[in-house]
């Protein structure tokens, strides 16, 4: 049952009464549950064939007799399959995890996770003619959920590539600031207008620039990433300039 209340005042401003409205929202709650369970099973069903497609596309690229054209076509196939899998993973995470989901915490080095995210992005970056530079020569011990944090960093790095053009550089840095482990992902890409910067952390919201450029996306990754950062007692912020580039900064408390 959902209850709302509204107070009424007479012309002198004195309290004249309160109206209470109670409504049965069982159907709405059940519809949301049905939608989430549909999204969760749909994403699971999509993931297996996609992973197989991606595996074969990558395996075929190892054939030394491939022509440069065929290799380049297979790279495009792999890139798109990875992109689709990231979207499916985000939809799955959004349908099964809420902001209050329990976090499994294990000791991790955030700088190593960042270096790993960079290494996994290299095939994509190479295919798009974007350089990836990593400055992560520091240890950043944190207590965290490996799956969640890997997804945060992968989302940030793949966004940096997706919203950048060939010939630019994506720079990843890991550093300590007092009691904080700080990772930043900077690009020289599309950028986000000032009025959109807050909004892009809300589920399903995308910047006007990304929509106008026709770059596909779901508007889920950043919202999920920020939820994970907050669950860990940290935060995720963005500074950006339209047409110049963006910097996303993840801050988590350092483990003692
Ligand atoms: P998606 O990229 O799938 O739309 P995200 O939640 O990851 O979803 O990002 C939300 C929005 O934020 C994007 O649609 C885009 O408008 C903007 N955005 C995210 N990362 C960048 C970036 N590195 N450069 C420019 N815009 C970005």
């Amino acid at each position: 049952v959902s209850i709302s209340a509204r107070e009424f005042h007479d012309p002198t401003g004195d309290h004249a009464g309160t109206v209470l409205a109670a409504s049965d929202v069982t159907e709405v709650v059940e519809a949301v549950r049905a939608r989430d369970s549909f999204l969760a099973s749909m994403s699971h069903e999509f993931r297996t064939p996609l992973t197989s497609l991606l595996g074969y596309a990558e395996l075929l690229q190892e054939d030394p007799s491939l022509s440069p054209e065929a290799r380049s076509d297979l790279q495009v196939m792999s890139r798109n399959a990875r992109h689709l899998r990231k979207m499916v993973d985000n939809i799955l995470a959004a349908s099964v995890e809420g902001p209050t989901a329990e976090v499994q915490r294990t000791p991790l080095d955030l700088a190593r996770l960042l270096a790993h995210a960079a290494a996994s992005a290299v095939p994509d970056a190479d295919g798009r003619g974007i350089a990836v530079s990593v400055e992560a020569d520091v240890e950043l011990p944190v207590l965290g959920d490996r799956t969640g944090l890997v997804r945060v960093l992968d989302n940030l790095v793949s966004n940096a590539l997706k919203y950048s053009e060939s010939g630019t550089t994506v720079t990843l840095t890991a550093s300590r600031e007092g009691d904080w482990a700080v990772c930043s992902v900077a690009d020289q890409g599309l950028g986000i207008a000032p009025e959109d910067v807050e909004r892009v952390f809300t589920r399903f919201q995308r910047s006007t620039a990304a929509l106008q450029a026709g770059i596909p996306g779901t508007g889920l990754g950043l919202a999920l990433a920020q939820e994970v950062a907050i669950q860990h007692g940290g935060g995720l912020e963005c500074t950006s300039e339209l047409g110049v580039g963006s910097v996303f900064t993840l801050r988590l408390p350092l483990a003692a």
Side-chain angles (χ1 to χ4, degrees):
V1 176
S2 158
I3 298 179
S4 54
R6 182 158 174 211
E7 284 192 6
F8 285 92
H9 300 93
D10 62 23
T12 63
D14 285 342
H15 183 246
T18 305
V19 174
L20 282 180
S23 49
D24 180 353
V25 290
T26 315
E27 274 184 27
V28 176
V29 171
E30 276 173 3
V32 169
R33 266 200 211 123
R35 183 203 61 189
D36 284 352
S37 118
F38 166 73
L39 285 176
S41 56
M42 185 205 76
S43 335
H44 265 304
E45 298 297 324
F46 273 41
R47 212 178 185 285
T48 314
L50 257 179
T51 302
S52 154
L53 272 174
L54 185 56
Y56 282 112
E58 281 174 353
L59 197 67
L60 284 171
Q61 284 170 50
E62 285 170 19
D63 181 350
S65 64
L66 271 184
S67 70
E69 293 77 25
R71 189 177 306 282
S72 150
D73 291 349
L74 282 167
Q75 280 166 353
V76 174
M77 272 178 71
S78 308
R79 189 161 73 231
N80 283 296
R82 264 195 302 271
H83 180 55
L84 204 53
R85 194 174 59 178
K86 189 198 119 192
M87 289 206 277
V88 164
D89 282 347
N90 282 340
I91 293 171
L92 183 62
S95 55
V96 297
E97 293 165 14
T100 54
E102 189 83 3
V103 180
Q104 296 291 330
R105 288 167 194 260
T106 48
L108 300 166
D109 179 357
L110 194 64
R112 279 189 64 178
L113 293 189
L114 183 76
H116 191 261
S120 343
V122 166
D124 252 12
D126 284 351
R128 305 176 60 114
I130 298 169
V132 177
S133 142
V134 190
E135 295 155 28
D137 204 10
V138 59
E139 266 187 37
L140 296 179
V142 298
L143 278 180
D145 170 40
R146 178 183 292 273
T147 316
L149 292 175
V150 165
R151 198 170 56 238
V152 171
L153 296 170
D154 280 347
N155 267 308
L156 295 180
V157 176
S158 60
N159 275 349
L161 296 175
K162 183 166 82 170
Y163 295 106
S164 291
E165 300 265 332
S166 148
T168 59
T169 302
V170 168
T171 308
L172 313 186
T173 64
S175 60
R176 287 174 178 229
E177 282 178 20
D179 296 335
W180 296 94
V182 182
C183 285
S184 73
V185 179
D187 64 59
Q188 302 170 324
L190 185 68
I192 305 171
E195 64 273 19
D196 283 343
V197 168
E198 291 287 318
R199 221 161 52 81
V200 294
F201 291 100
T202 305
R203 287 184 180 199
F204 305 112
Q205 297 286 326
R206 308 194 65 219
S207 70
T208 309
L211 292 169
Q212 279 173 352
I215 301 169
T218 55
L220 271 174
L222 282 183
L224 291 169
Q226 195 178 51
E227 283 167 24
V228 171
I230 292 170
Q231 278 168 346
H232 283 77
L236 174 65
E237 283 160 17
C238 167
T239 54
S240 187
E241 199 177 328
L242 205 55
V244 175
S246 312
V247 184
F248 286 86
T249 309
L250 171 71
R251 263 170 237 278
L252 298 185
L254 277 168

